[in-house]
Amino acid sequence: MSKKGKKKEESSPEPGDDWEDWQSVVARRDLLISAWRARDELYKNLFGEPTSVTPSNYRPPPAIPSGKAKTRSPNELATDTADPGLEDQRLAIIAYGPDPVRPYWTYITAGISSPWLQGQPEEVSGFGCELMIKSPIEAQWPAQILRSMAFYLFNHAGTLSPGARIALNAPIAVNSESKLRNLVIWYADEAPDCWYQLPSGGFGVFTAIGITDDELKFAESIDEYGTWCIQQVLRQVGTGQVTNPDRESAMQNENIASITNSVTTFARQFKASSSSFEIS
């Protein structure tokens, strides 16, 4: 009976196409990790320490051990990506409780701007934004809305920018009678620079604001300045960028005629002055 020989160990990739593939995988993962850390530091500077995070295992994507290349076959290298493969880590919702500066709950995504498919820095990181919702009380619906918007972007390879209006076709809070059935996207007051840089590229911090059907109708009547106008109306009636599912429509305010007239007049004057401005 012959003596069984030892199994030949798989060698690590040698310089060449396979080695270049592996280097690309490692570079993408390193970029993903550095972007995660930079965004986390930015959030701490803007919002402070979070009150809660979902999922609870929120942390940087794991680095690829330097010795892992020795266990990779050429076929595996050809199909590998920088994605750490942790589905629940691709998007987190971070919650910040009220404080003297922000007397409301703030919920923001972390993951839409991650450079999942990038091998090097680009002008825009990931899908180019992170989204926020502000609520007067701690609630579950903000995270549900944010996840729905994020997964829509992931699945359709799109993005959202200030000015966008979104019909939810249902109350903003599930199983409620809320009259807020739409969203508008605008620049977040808490992120004054609007556009921020990660090692992988830039991204915007935008807020989603719930509005009623008649508020949406008003916004749609003001051409390209409609989203700005309805936001100014909400500010003047005391709602601002905070979304309260239980509120009544701003269009029912007793002073709404003078408020909308003032806002639309300003918008039209601004549009007229902008269109007549010429650079010499």
Side-chain angles (χ1 to χ4, degrees):
M1 185 173 181
S2 62
K3 190 174 181 180
K4 190 174 182 180
K6 292 184 179 179
K7 183 179 179 180
K8 184 178 180 180
E9 292 185 0
E10 185 177 29
S11 60
S12 60
E14 297 295 333
D17 291 341
D18 292 340
W19 180 246
E20 291 176 1
D21 288 342
W22 177 251
Q23 287 182 312
S24 177
V25 169
V26 173
R28 289 200 299 272
R29 181 69 66 84
D30 288 346
L31 185 63
L32 186 63
I33 294 170
S34 62
W36 189 101
R37 294 187 185 281
R39 185 181 56 223
D40 189 60
E41 184 64 25
L42 172 65
Y43 281 7
K44 288 179 180 177
N45 291 335
L46 290 175
F47 310 113
E49 292 294 332
T51 302
S52 63
V53 183
T54 54
S56 58
N57 63 346
Y58 175 67
R59 62 181 182 273
I64 298 176
S66 58
K68 190 176 179 181
K70 296 180 180 180
T71 66
R72 312 297 283 182
S73 69
N75 288 337
E76 288 176 314
L77 287 170
T79 59
D80 208 344
T81 70
D83 192 328
L86 303 175
E87 293 284 349
D88 59 349
Q89 282 197 8
R90 295 177 188 174
L91 180 73
I93 305 297
I94 306 178
Y96 301 88
D99 63 26
V101 177
R102 300 187 310 272
Y104 43 79
W105 281 81
T106 302
Y107 298 85
I108 188 168
T109 60
I112 301 176
S113 64
S114 294
W116 300 111
L117 303 177
Q118 292 176 223
Q120 60 186 6
E122 297 179 6
E123 182 177 354
V124 175
S125 179
F127 293 91
C129 68
E130 296 291 351
L131 301 173
M132 173 196 302
I133 287 179
K134 294 172 253 188
S135 169
I137 61 173
E138 185 177 14
Q140 294 183 350
W141 67 264
Q144 294 169 344
I145 291 291
L146 290 173
R147 287 189 181 279
S148 295
M149 289 194 292
F151 291 140
Y152 178 86
L153 297 181
F154 291 159
N155 292 330
H156 294 83
T159 189
L160 284 173
S161 57
R165 303 167 203 149
I166 304 168
L168 300 175
N169 300 314
I172 196 169
V174 177
N175 298 323
S176 77
E177 299 296 324
S178 176
K179 296 179 180 179
L180 308 186
R181 300 171 59 89
N182 312 277
L183 294 169
V184 293
I185 307 299
W186 199 248
Y187 302 98
D189 292 341
E190 295 80 359
D193 290 342
C194 303
W195 190 254
Y196 297 89
Q197 286 297 135
L198 299 176
S200 50
F203 78 105
V205 176
F206 308 136
T207 190
I209 307 166
I211 62 172
T212 63
D213 288 339
D214 54 354
E215 291 167 354
L216 175 63
K217 184 177 180 180
F218 167 73
E220 291 176 337
S221 71
I222 316 295
D223 301 324
E224 66 265 36
Y225 294 103
T227 300
W228 179 87
C229 286
I230 188 57
Q231 193 203 198
Q232 292 304 308
V233 169
L234 293 176
R235 289 186 188 280
Q236 293 196 34
V237 300
T239 297
Q241 294 187 337
V242 177
T243 297
N244 181 356
D246 297 328
R247 75 170 177 85
E248 295 297 322
S249 171
M251 308 311 288
Q252 304 302 315
N253 185 281
E254 60 182 0
N255 298 316
I256 193 61
S258 62
I259 292 173
T260 55
N261 181 63
S262 172
V263 168
T264 55
T265 297
F266 182 89
R268 286 167 180 153
Q269 290 176 343
F270 179 82
K271 180 179 180 180
S273 63
S274 298
S275 60
S276 63
F277 178 75
E278 295 182 0
I279 300 177
S280 58

